[in-house]
Amino acid sequence: MAAEQMADTGEEPDRTPPTAAPSPAAPGPEPVPVPPARPLDAIDRDILRILQTDGRASIRSVAERVHVSRANAYARINRLVEDGVIRGFGARVDHERAGQGASAYITLKIVQNSWRTVREQLQALPGATHIALVSGDFDVLLLVHTPDNRALRELVLTRIQSIPEVLSTRTLLVFEETDLGPRPDRPAELA
């Protein structure tokens, strides 16, 4: 369906970011080529602000709020997705209410030059929501959400510490979380 038709019907476009298919000759998936970054103008930043606050905002609503046509808003959102500026759309979840009452940051020291291997294994862990390669006293910071402390203990002691490249871990329990995602009362988020 054309952008104009979608804008007129109020239907949402498919906002799934494009992905590259793995090459059959390569041993693993090829990295997705990232286009060079294009500068964002004020309208792009306003669109990002709106979608960060409400990922379910319709094209019509976004267009009205940034004072452009629906076709222009649709094209800009697609460009932001294609350029990799928007990596996806999702919901902010209250993990405790969703049955994931135990949360922890886990720091890991890993074997030098093993980041890619370790990252792949951490991504496969149940409840892993954020992984970062960092500098300082440890190498990796991992955020996990599990149903309870028993599941957290099992995740750390059995799954993470059994990864050969993991030299040590430290678990920091999260007692309370506050999501600081973009809000309308903080307009300078992307300025």
Side-chain angles (χ1 to χ4, degrees), residues 24-141:
E30 291 182 4
V32 176
V34 178
R38 292 185 245 189
L40 302 180
D41 64 15
I43 293 172
D44 291 331
R45 288 191 295 277
D46 287 343
I47 289 172
L48 290 173
R49 243 183 248 110
I50 291 166
L51 293 176
Q52 284 180 300
T53 304
D54 179 8
R56 295 177 60 181
S58 69
I59 297 291
R60 179 177 302 194
S61 169
V62 171
E64 288 171 357
R65 291 166 65 184
V66 299
H67 310 291
V68 298
S69 71
R70 288 184 294 255
N72 188 331
Y74 178 78
R76 283 174 177 267
I77 291 170
N78 277 344
R79 181 179 48 82
L80 291 167
V81 169
E82 290 167 6
D83 286 355
V85 175
I86 295 176
R87 298 183 302 172
F89 297 84
R92 290 190 301 267
V93 176
D94 181 321
H95 294 282
E96 189 170 354
R97 292 185 60 88
Q100 301 289 305
S103 298
Y105 285 96
I106 302 167
T107 65
L108 294 83
K109 288 187 181 180
I110 62 174
V111 172
Q112 188 173 5
N113 296 323
S114 66
W115 163 240
R116 288 176 183 82
T117 303
V118 172
R119 179 181 56 196
E120 287 176 16
Q121 294 177 70
L122 295 176
Q123 287 172 328
L125 294 175
T129 59
H130 185 84
I131 303 167
L133 179 65
V134 298
S135 64
D137 294 335
F138 49 88
D139 304 305
V140 178
L141 183 62

Side-chain angles (χ1 to χ4, degrees), residues 116-165:
R116 288 176 183 82
T117 303
V118 172
R119 179 181 56 196
E120 287 176 16
Q121 294 177 70
L122 295 176
Q123 287 172 328
L125 294 175
T129 59
H130 185 84
I131 303 167
L133 179 65
V134 298
S135 64
D137 294 335
F138 49 88
D139 304 305
V140 178
L141 183 62
L142 171 67
L143 174 60
V144 298
H145 302 283
T146 62
D148 53 36
N149 283 341
R150 180 178 299 242
L152 177 60
R153 178 178 169 266
E154 177 71 18
L155 183 72
V156 174
L157 298 180
T158 303
R159 301 283 300 269
I160 295 173
Q161 290 184 357
S162 70
I163 298 171
E165 297 85 1

